[in-house]
Amino acid sequence: MGNAHLTRRTLLGGATAVALGATTAGGAHAAARPRPAEAAPRAADQVPPIWREFTRTPYTHPQIPYIGRAGHRGGARRFPRPKVVADVRDFGAVADGTTDSAPAINRAIAAAGKAGGGTVTIPPGTFRIDDVIRIGHSNVVLRGAGSTRTKLYATRNLTELIGPYGSRYGGDKSSWSWAGGLIWLAPTARWDSLVAAIRAKAWPFEGWTGNRRDEWRTLTTLAPARQGSSTVTVADPSALRPGALVLLRLADDAGHTLLEHMSGGGPGPEAYTWDDKTKLTSYVPYEWPVRITRVQGRKVTLERPLPLDVRPEWDPRLTTHVGELSGSGVEGLTLEAVETPQQPHLLDKGHNGVVFQCAYDCWADDVTVRHVDNGFGLVAASACTLRHTRVAGRGSHHPYFCREGSHDNLIEDFTIEARTTPAPAGTQLHGINVEGLSSYNVWSRGDMRMGTFDSHRGLPFANVRTDITVDNNGRHGGDASAGPLFGARFTHWNVRVTNGRAGMIRLDGLAPYSATVGLNEVREFDQIDVPDFTGDLHARLELYGTTDAVHPRNLYDAQRELPR
């Protein structure tokens, strides 16, 4: 249909609350079958003009980001299979549902880490855990016998285990509402420093440069470069080597031109008031982890194309960071928290699921979490893949959260089940969350029986949601001091809304330089937003009013098929 540049309110009409269950993947396990390469179009398929444009300029298209290398090892279809080095039973774990097996499981994981890596197996059965399960060494995989066969039954929450966790921004909020997991993958030293700060009530920053964002040093400065380039010119290559993980660090200037660039630039972002958005400005500098693939003289090749321009006014440099967790994963199990009522909004106790923090090239596969406050989390995590994951049970605040500068992650073949008990008064449901300058993340092939596409302020940009069926009944969040809901290059591609609600899914009236392609007819009701930026948003709306007719069907899969 090619309805580019039309305003949201011009086209929003009556709802079509279509029953689209037949178009879903049938849950995480049904979606586990291998996916072929993008098939040739059917007779009824429609190729939108914006796709033809994108294929001509995939790294610099103004509305659609290039996300074809998102995920573990650039989107590798297979995860590593390190040799088995430990069975939790040999360390004292008992599958009787009553013995606390957390110490034994953690001893087995620590032994694998001390051995340099390997797989720790958990056999079928129910294992009670009264503590956090910690994966703190690289190349360690915790593997159950399958999410329907191995269960970890968690009896305590993070407030009980670690202590109350306030917000560094003040107020009476609990940071366990958006941080920490009962399975927590983070480098040991980083985890220790976070826990020490929480217990000292010195509420920390959570990212790659430490609790006070001061644990880094410059490796080299950079010459100017354009978004989409994979090669940069450095002042001094002596500290760089292929295979090393570095941070690209971009500061902002007094005029906030970096934040304007993240928003697509132009009159709207230039007229926006940035200085009073104190939570947003605390997220800057922008820190992007990336591996070096080649060093040839002063020319350095990166494993992914640059997410933004590199300009002198942003003091661009490659830096060190806290030691990363890499090559680690959790597979084939269910984490079930003791069933307690969901807490009032922002007062979660921390019955949380699986969280990746300061992790790169890590993964979860065939993992279910049940009765959790918050399901799967990415906190300053990048290049991770969550595949065949599921959130189930009594209802969650954040089924999935992606924050604190998390980039290039892939969440695919995921399911959010409908809650099994009514939501208590005063609680909140978000959905698939992204915030805090997080960029180039992908949610693909999802079955969302509740929730919404929660862009949670903090200027996330260049994120994609594709091939998802959603009963759009959640609400987004975000403090006003965190700034815009959306930066540039958000794309919603082939989305099937079963209850006819537009909010946070139809983007042409909300997100700058973004695209909504292949969406069935929706209308505004419940939480209704206005754009953060004035004037022409340069947003695209194509194949509106269709259901599963767009070709290609899955934007991530199609980008992977493009020549690199």
Side-chain angles (χ1 to χ4, degrees):
M1 293 173 65
N3 296 323
H5 307 293
L6 296 181
T7 66
R8 183 178 189 172
R9 287 163 182 78
T10 302
L11 288 173
L12 287 178
T16 54
V18 188
L20 295 172
T23 68
T24 71
H29 298 290
R33 60 186 179 275
R35 287 280 178 160
E38 184 71 29
R42 303 173 304 187
D45 286 346
Q46 301 178 65
V47 179
I50 198 170
W51 172 249
R52 301 187 193 278
E53 295 172 13
F54 176 81
T55 58
R56 293 193 289 268
T57 59
Y59 301 118
T60 57
H61 193 276
Q63 280 93 9
I64 298 179
Y66 177 75
I67 40 77
R69 297 181 199 173
H72 168 267
R73 295 293 180 187
R77 302 312 304 165
R78 296 181 181 274
F79 299 123
R81 302 286 290 182
K83 67 178 182 179
V84 175
V85 297
D87 184 311
V88 298
R89 292 172 297 186
D90 296 334
F91 291 79
V94 182
D96 61 4
T98 58
T99 302
D100 177 16
S101 291
I105 295 171
N106 282 327
R107 285 194 297 268
I109 292 170
K114 188 174 181 180
T119 297
V120 175
T121 58
I122 312 179
T126 296
F127 295 82
R128 172 174 167 164
I129 58 171
D130 295 345
D131 202 354
V132 178
I133 301 303
R134 296 165 49 195
I135 300 177
H137 292 88
S138 293
N139 304 312
V140 172
V141 178
L142 182 65
R143 180 183 300 147
S147 61
T148 61
R149 303 181 67 203
T150 296
K151 180 193 293 186
L152 302 183
Y153 179 65
T155 63
R156 304 177 72 190
N157 59 57
L158 293 168
T159 300
E160 296 171 306
L161 294 170
I162 296 174
Y165 186 4
S167 170
R168 67 179 184 254
Y169 300 104
D172 61 355
K173 302 171 186 176
S174 167
S175 285
W176 297 130
S177 300
W178 56 76
L182 292 169
I183 298 178
W184 200 332
L185 294 90
T188 295
R190 189 73 186 99
W191 193 87
D192 289 344
S193 70
L194 285 165
V195 169
I198 292 165
R199 287 176 172 162
K201 301 190 185 310
W203 313 130
F205 285 91
E206 301 157 274
W208 285 101
T209 50
N211 294 344
R212 294 181 297 277
R213 299 195 74 178
D214 58 358
E215 297 179 40
W216 62 276
R217 61 181 175 83
T218 298
L219 296 171
T220 184
T221 56
L222 298 179
R226 296 299 302 274
Q227 173 198 321
S229 174
S230 293
T231 301
V232 294
T233 301
V234 302
D236 179 5
S238 61
L240 308 178
R241 58 178 178 82
L245 185 70
V246 297
L247 284 187
L248 170 66
R249 185 180 193 271
L250 299 177
D252 205 358
D253 58 11
H256 298 296
T257 60
L258 176 61
L259 297 177
E260 291 173 3
H261 177 53
M262 292 174 178
S263 304
E270 289 171 4
Y272 186 78
T273 300
W274 300 97
D275 284 330
D276 63 349
K277 308 304 186 295
T278 52
K279 188 171 184 179
L280 172 61
T281 54
S282 78
Y283 296 144
V284 182
Y286 175 80
E287 295 169 339
W288 182 63
V290 66
R291 288 197 194 280
I292 294 171
T293 60
R294 186 180 185 189
V295 180
Q296 188 173 31
R298 293 173 55 216
K299 298 291 185 182
V300 175
T301 303
L302 308 174
E303 73 172 331
R304 287 179 172 84
L306 288 173
L308 295 163
D309 287 352
V310 170
R311 301 180 187 174
E313 54 266 37
W314 303 330
D315 189 23
R317 55 188 66 210
L318 300 180
T319 77
T320 62
H321 49 84
V322 298
E324 73 269 17
L325 184 74
S326 182
S328 294
V330 56
E331 304 175 349
L333 58 83
T334 289
L335 173 67
E336 182 175 312
V338 61
E339 186 171 2
T340 59
Q342 187 178 344
Q343 293 295 300
H345 190 218
L346 301 177
L347 297 178
D348 296 351
K349 299 294 186 182
H351 294 282
N352 294 349
V354 181
V355 166
F356 296 79
Q357 187 159 8
C358 297
Y360 194 94
D361 278 335
C362 293
W363 70 91
D365 187 22
D366 182 28
V367 176
T368 294
V369 296
R370 183 173 288 116
H371 302 321
V372 292
D373 294 336
N374 301 282
F376 293 88
L378 297 156
V379 181
S382 293
C384 295
T385 295
L386 279 59
R387 184 177 295 157
H388 307 144
T389 57
R390 180 182 294 259
V391 180
R394 51 84 157 157
S396 302
H397 179 192
H398 296 93
Y400 291 82
F401 57 96
C402 178
R403 51 176 295 272
E404 204 78 8
S406 290
H407 316 291
D408 303 301
N409 297 293
L410 171 63
I411 302 93
E412 65 178 354
D413 300 309
F414 67 95
T415 301
I416 302 173
E417 293 187 1
R419 63 190 313 134
T420 55
T421 59
T427 60
Q428 187 67 273
L429 164 66
H430 296 312
I432 51 175
N433 156 278
V434 62
E435 59 183 287
L437 301 186
S438 296
S439 62
Y440 293 86
N441 300 289
V442 182
W443 291 261
S444 169
R445 292 195 297 273
D447 178 6
M448 295 177 59
R449 303 168 199 173
M450 65 177 190
T452 193
F453 291 3
D454 172 34
S455 295
H456 209 89
R457 301 198 178 276
L459 197 66
F461 66 95
N463 296 283
V464 167
R465 288 100 167 212
T466 182
D467 195 6
I468 296 172
T469 299
V470 53
D471 189 38
N472 187 21
N473 60 6
R475 297 170 68 85
H476 78 77
D479 292 342
S481 64
L485 282 166
F486 303 94
R489 299 189 309 285
F490 260 81
T491 302
H492 292 171
W493 186 284
N494 192 18
V495 178
R496 302 166 291 270
V497 178
T498 61
N499 63 346
R501 179 176 168 230
M504 301 303 290
I505 293 177
R506 183 169 170 178
L507 295 177
D508 53 299
L510 288 177
Y513 288 94
S514 292
T516 308
V517 181
L519 172 68
N520 59 289
E521 187 179 352
V522 292
R523 64 183 177 88
E524 291 193 29
F525 61 89
D526 192 24
Q527 189 179 30
I528 299 173
D529 287 288
V530 297
D532 292 289
F533 303 112
T534 57
D536 187 354
L537 295 178
H538 302 281
R540 302 279 290 271
L541 178 68
E542 298 191 6
L543 298 186
Y544 175 64
T546 66
T547 299
D548 210 31
V550 61
H551 184 87
R553 282 186 168 36
N554 186 292
L555 184 61
Y556 172 73
D557 290 344
Q559 288 197 20
R560 284 182 53 81
E561 296 297 319
L562 295 176
R564 299 193 181 190

